[in-house]
Amino acid sequence: MVFMSEIRVPTVFTRIIAREIPADIVFEDDRIIAFRDINPQAPVHLLVVPKTEQYRNVSELASRDPGLLADIIATAKRLADEHCGGDFRLIFNEGEATGQTVFHVHAHVLGVLPGDALAEESLAH
Ligand code: 5GP
């Protein structure tokens, strides 16, 4: 007998990794993928996502694979260097109360385009 709790529906990010859903992919290696958020909250808004969907949030990832978490942060920094002058805001939502909607751990990388003073102000709080 198969219980409902045993049936795992692939997350939207797993479907992006499998190229079932299109995305603007900016980086990919064997363990991590990064792409532009479909609903950007800043001039630069990237999502950095481990390919495994076994960790629902950053606390699970930190306790079970801290090396992968470090790689996600290093990737965020490299992408910020490429896309927004090196400065960035890094956000992990954890739990529905914070607005987490995709339970496949991911880092939001928010930044502004270098020299865009108005956008810089909007992110500086
Ligand atoms: P959360 O709210 O879980 O921290 O963040 C999930 C993020 O995934 C949201 O910012 C949302 O806009 C983004 N997102 C959801 N579905 C898609 C999609 O199909 N493609 C892309 N590129 N981003 C998505």
Side-chain angles (χ1 to χ4, degrees), residues 36 40-46 79 83-84 109-113:
R36 291 185 195 279
Q41 304 298 309
V44 175
H45 186 169
L46 308 174
L79 290 170
H83 292 267
C84 46
V109 177
L110 303 180
V112 298
L113 300 169

Side-chain angles (χ1 to χ4, degrees), residues 12-13 35-39 47 93 99-102 106 108:
V12 64
F13 296 158
F35 46 87
R36 291 185 195 279
D37 196 293
I38 204 169
N39 182 23
L47 299 173
N93 290 321
Q100 187 177 4
T101 56
V102 180
H106 53 282
H108 295 257

Side-chain angles (χ1 to χ4, degrees), residues 17-100:
I17 292 160
R19 305 305 199 266
E20 292 170 13
I21 296 176
D24 187 352
I25 295 169
V26 294
F27 173 80
E28 182 170 25
D29 68 11
D30 55 334
R31 297 217 297 168
I32 293 172
I33 191 165
F35 46 87
R36 291 185 195 279
D37 196 293
I38 204 169
N39 182 23
Q41 304 298 309
V44 175
H45 186 169
L46 308 174
L47 299 173
V48 183
V49 184
K51 288 189 169 176
T52 175
E53 61 174 29
Q54 72 185 119
Y55 308 115
R56 290 166 54 84
N57 56 53
V58 68
S59 295
E60 286 184 10
L61 176 61
S63 64
R64 291 167 53 198
D65 194 343
L68 181 54
L69 176 57
D71 287 348
I72 286 170
I73 293 172
T75 300
K77 174 58 182 165
R78 276 201 313 277
L79 290 170
D81 285 341
E82 275 174 38
H83 292 267
C84 46
D87 292 353
F88 64 111
R89 178 174 293 164
L90 189 66
I91 295 173
F92 291 90
N93 290 321
E94 179 161 327
E96 283 171 18
T98 68
Q100 187 177 4

